[in-house]
Each structure stands twice: as C-alpha cells, then as structure tokens.
Amino acid sequence: MKLIFSLLAFANVASGECPGGFSFTGKCELASVSEAADCDLKTELGLADDAALEELVSEVCASAVEGNTRDWNYVTFQGDNPNNYQWDNNYFDGGTRWNDAKETATEILHSGDTGSILRTYNDYASSAIIGWPDYGSESYYTDNFKNCDLRAAMCCFIDTRLSTPLNPNSEVCNHDLRDSKTSNHINRGYAIFEDREDKAYCNAISWEKDEDAVSARYAGNALFYISMYSGLYENGYVENIPSSPLCACIEQMATIDETDCTKINAIEKYTFALNGTDISATLTSDVTYSACDTGFIEHYESMADEEEVEELESNHIVGSCADANEDFINNRFYVPGSRPDYVDDSKWAAVYGQGYMYYPPIKDSALRKYLDESPNSIIMRKCLWCTDSHKEIYYKRLTELPSPEKLDFLDLLMNNWYDEPGNVLNTDFELYSSYEDALSGTEKWTFCNYNVEQIGFPRECGPTKKVSNNWNSNVRSSRPMQTRHFSFYVEKSFVSTG
C-alpha cells in the first residue's frame, strides 16, 4: 500500500496537479512558491498568464507578513497596560516613570506595568514582526521615528535604576537642538559636551533599503530589543542625554564618538494552502538578537551607499569628539568663550535657567534627590534683572515634599506656583532674601500668593507685601522683562554649615 500511494502521489505531481499545501523557508516570491509547489499553479488557480500569477503570489505573501505583524503599541497600549501613544512618545524622549523612578520598596521595575515588556518579548519578539512605531502620518506622536533617511536608529542611556551599573561606551560630543525639537521642546539652540565625566551607553541598529529584507522588516523588533527589553528591562538603563531623545532616528540624536551595534537574525517559514482556485499563506518567524559581527560603521557599510556612510561618520558617529566639536563650532562661526560665574558651583547645583543663565532643566526626580541631600533644604533663584528684593530668593523647605504622583515639584517652581499640595508659606516652606537669613531663620518673608496657571515661582510673594512682575515661566508666551535671565540652584550636599 505504501508503494502504491507513493506512485500515485508522484503521478499527480507529474501530471500538474497541485498539493493541498506546501511550505518553504526564505524569501516569499514567485520562484520560491513555484519551486515548493512543484506544479502548474497558474492552471490550478485559473489564471490567464504569468503576470497574474506573480501579482497574486505577491498579494498572498504580503498578507502572510501582515498576519504575523504586531503593532508597536502592543507593548503599552494593547499589552494589558493602560498607557497610550503619548506614553510611548514620552518614554522615547526620556520621560515617564520608567525612566524617572528609582527602585524602592514600592517602586520595582520588574513588577507593575513593565510586565508588558516581558510579555511582548516572550509572546512576539522571537516569533513575530513588531511594527515600527510611527503610528501613521495622521499622528504627531512619536516623531522620533519618522523620516529616518539614513535607515538607522539609536538609544543612549546615562543612568541605571537597578543594581547593575551603567556600562558607558560613548563620549557625547554635541547636539543641534533643532534636530529633536519635538523631544526637547526647544526650537533652536546648540549643546557642546566637553569632558563629560559621565559617558553614555549607546546602542544602534540599521536596516537595508529593501523593505522585504530581514533587517528592514524586523527593524521594530530590533528597536524594541535595544530600547525596552535589553536596555530597560534587562539592564535597568534609563534617562536621556540632556537635550537629546532617549531613542530616535540617528539624525535626531546627539553626536557621539562610538556605539554598540545590534542586529536581527530571522528565519521565515511560509506555509501555503490551496483549496480549488483559492490560495492563502501564513508566516512563522524565528527571530534572534545578537551583537553585530563588526563595529557599527562597518555593519552600516554593508547596507548603505558611500554618501550615507560619509553622512553617518561626519555628523553622527564621528570617532573623535575633539575634532567633531571643533568642526561643529567652526561651521557655526562661534569662538570659545566663557560666561560669568553667577554662583559658586562648588556649593550650588544648577537646576534650570533661562536667558544669559540658561541651563537645561534637570528631571523632577533629580531635583528631589538634590533637595533630599541638601544640608539645609535650600533652593536659590538668582535673577539678574529682578527687583532688588528678588535678585536672590532662598526657598527653604520645611516639610516633606508630596509624592511625585501628587506634585511635579520642578514644574511648581518653573511654571505653576500653587499652594496645594503642600506648598504654603511658613508652613511647608520659608522664603528669604539672603542665604544668611535662611540659615538663621531671621527676616523671613510674610506675604505670598499662588494659583494662576502658567505663572511660576514666586508669583507676587514678597518680604512684607505683594511684589509684581518678578515671576518666571517656561511656558507662558508673555513674561515679565525682569525675569528674562534667571536660574535655580540647590545647595549641594557636601556643603557643611557647621
């Protein structure tokens, strides 16, 4: 019986009859499908010519790919996680509690909603295609991954929230802030990082022009791996380079000297089913992740043209920050200079400043840490053009700050000066006109008001009465001229007052 069955099967194939199903690994195209079917598919499917067969096979292959593709937002929006597109956007900019929180008894990275990262890795990252997180042209969210003309993306971390130490591999050189203005919310400006004591850990991916190439089809997988799984979940790496996104197209990222490189390997198996003149297919994927066989530049050279490689080496992964920064300055006709020492930086840590005193804002979590470590719980605002009584104001915290879930303390100072929660003069804090008064508790201010949206510290608070037009705001379009140049500082932890 076995011999007769085999002879019959051979006779059916030889006579042009097609099997009910067949499968193969590799690229899904007419040649591969025809070879695996080993029959006259055109006749079986009732098609007029080879062009019609090729078009149909192309459509079926595309449908199989789509059927095995998961939207990026499964990680958050659909992954039993109540977050949404805005969350994704903020995470890739360097925000959200995934970046800001520190490990505590109640705040644990590997419990709570980061479980959606592990679920995605276990359920899909090794067996399906994860879509690229651009969410279509109709959405302004996740601008970080639109227009990746060089077909490369990168993540750079500067801190860790687990016991695993950060393993820095990149010196940060410079950044044209306009390149990522939707992330840093600054329309234009430049940053030059010289002799950074704390380097960044960066990891990059790239993909081929051919959308059907493994590197292109699975680019979303590679991004998920370097950003959320390996970067955050496995290693606990968090926080972005100041002014630069956490992850983005490489054109938006700060210029660095070197980076790690991650690549995708995928074995694709297509299974076809024939039912009369109907044909369908499914795709199963076996996806693995590994370090590139070479450095990132060499890896990129294997899939890019000379012009693209030159652009990458000249402006993004440059090998030497010294040379890159010199070119960056010269191309903009700047010369090295210095600004006045407004405070003794051995005693005061900068928080945020505008105008002549510009300093990029630190995170609310960092401000809270500074204040916790401050020997006298004192924050100073120095303002160059303010009324004499307001040129230096010392905010002395008396009570414990409300939790980050209840109060954005940095925003309270910068933009929205409110009395609730926990911000009442001479109950939760005191104000003084000099550091000496703040230490001794003499000449404390007696008047304060609050609660006007987009008006920050100290609204009209004054030593004894209302003093107008000395408040600051980073979001209000019309601000007092007096507060064009100011900065906040926290007394550093190692300053002793005896």
Side-chain angles (χ1 to χ4, degrees), residues 159-268:
D159 203 354
T160 179
R161 57 177 289 179
L162 298 178
S163 58
T164 307
L166 184 74
N167 183 27
N169 63 350
S170 305
E171 185 75 33
V172 186
C173 306
N174 57 67
H175 189 215
D176 186 334
L177 274 59
R178 181 182 282 270
D179 291 340
S180 54
K181 62 182 180 181
T182 59
S183 295
N184 56 42
H185 310 294
I186 299 172
N187 188 44
R188 65 180 65 190
Y190 307 109
I192 296 176
F193 303 84
E194 293 187 347
D195 300 324
R196 268 185 59 87
E197 180 180 348
D198 298 318
K199 295 183 179 181
Y201 172 78
C202 297
N203 199 350
I205 60 173
S206 59
W207 56 94
E208 298 165 62
K209 292 180 181 179
D210 181 2
E211 294 181 356
D212 290 329
V214 165
S215 62
R217 193 182 339 265
Y218 294 87
N221 296 61
L223 176 63
F224 165 75
Y225 183 80
I226 68 170
S227 63
M228 290 185 174
Y229 185 71
S230 175
L232 174 64
Y233 196 85
E234 280 197 318
N235 293 306
Y237 291 171
V238 294
E239 297 190 19
N240 57 300
I241 296 167
S243 81
S244 178
L246 181 76
C247 303
C249 302
I250 208 159
E251 294 93 333
Q252 298 183 36
M253 298 292 291
T255 299
I256 61 172
D257 63 344
E258 301 288 348
T259 179
D260 274 0
C261 174
T262 292
K263 68 174 183 176
I264 285 286
N265 302 284
I267 299 173
E268 296 184 322

Side-chain angles (χ1 to χ4, degrees), residues 50-190:
D50 291 339
L53 176 60
E54 185 169 10
E55 181 180 357
L56 178 60
V57 167
S58 178
E59 291 174 357
V60 173
C61 290
S63 178
V65 169
E66 183 179 356
N68 197 34
T69 299
R70 303 295 178 266
D71 287 343
W72 175 277
N73 61 21
Y74 175 84
V75 184
T76 52
F77 189 54
Q78 295 177 353
D80 296 328
N81 184 326
N83 303 312
N84 55 25
Y85 303 121
Q86 183 67 67
W87 172 276
D88 290 347
N89 196 48
N90 289 340
Y91 170 75
F92 286 125
D93 286 346
T96 75
R97 64 180 175 275
W98 286 2
N99 279 298
D100 294 340
K102 299 298 179 184
E103 295 296 287
T104 66
T106 57
E107 184 68 41
I108 303 171
L109 176 63
H110 290 156
S111 65
D113 56 14
T114 54
S116 61
I117 298 175
L118 184 60
R119 286 192 295 274
T120 299
Y121 183 75
N122 290 336
D123 295 348
Y124 292 115
S126 61
S127 60
I129 303 161
I130 298 176
W132 191 250
D134 59 13
Y135 300 135
S137 59
E138 73 280 358
S139 171
Y140 67 87
Y141 293 144
T142 323
D143 287 343
N144 303 36
F145 302 107
K146 294 178 180 177
N147 305 317
C148 293
D149 294 337
L150 290 178
R151 304 183 315 286
M154 183 166 66
C155 296
C156 289
F157 307 89
I158 63 169
D159 203 354
T160 179
R161 57 177 289 179
L162 298 178
S163 58
T164 307
L166 184 74
N167 183 27
N169 63 350
S170 305
E171 185 75 33
V172 186
C173 306
N174 57 67
H175 189 215
D176 186 334
L177 274 59
R178 181 182 282 270
D179 291 340
S180 54
K181 62 182 180 181
T182 59
S183 295
N184 56 42
H185 310 294
I186 299 172
N187 188 44
R188 65 180 65 190
Y190 307 109

Side-chain angles (χ1 to χ4, degrees), residues 309-381:
V309 173
E310 182 180 359
E311 166 69 15
L312 184 78
E313 288 187 292
S314 298
N315 297 308
H316 305 293
I317 314 295
V318 295
S320 166
C321 279
D323 295 339
N325 285 348
E326 183 176 354
D327 291 342
F328 188 84
I329 292 171
N330 289 339
N331 291 341
R332 289 159 179 80
F333 303 103
Y334 289 142
V335 295
S338 61
R339 64 180 181 178
D341 294 326
Y342 295 109
V343 299
D344 184 345
D345 60 12
S346 70
K347 297 180 179 180
W348 297 95
V351 173
Y352 170 70
Q354 283 189 354
Y356 297 155
M357 307 178 75
Y358 173 76
Y359 190 87
I362 65 174
K363 295 181 180 296
D364 181 68
S365 57
L367 173 57
R368 287 171 176 270
K369 180 180 179 182
Y370 284 171
L371 191 63
D372 285 344
E373 296 174 349
S374 177
N376 300 293
S377 301
I378 292 176
I379 296 173
M380 171 178 61
R381 190 194 77 172

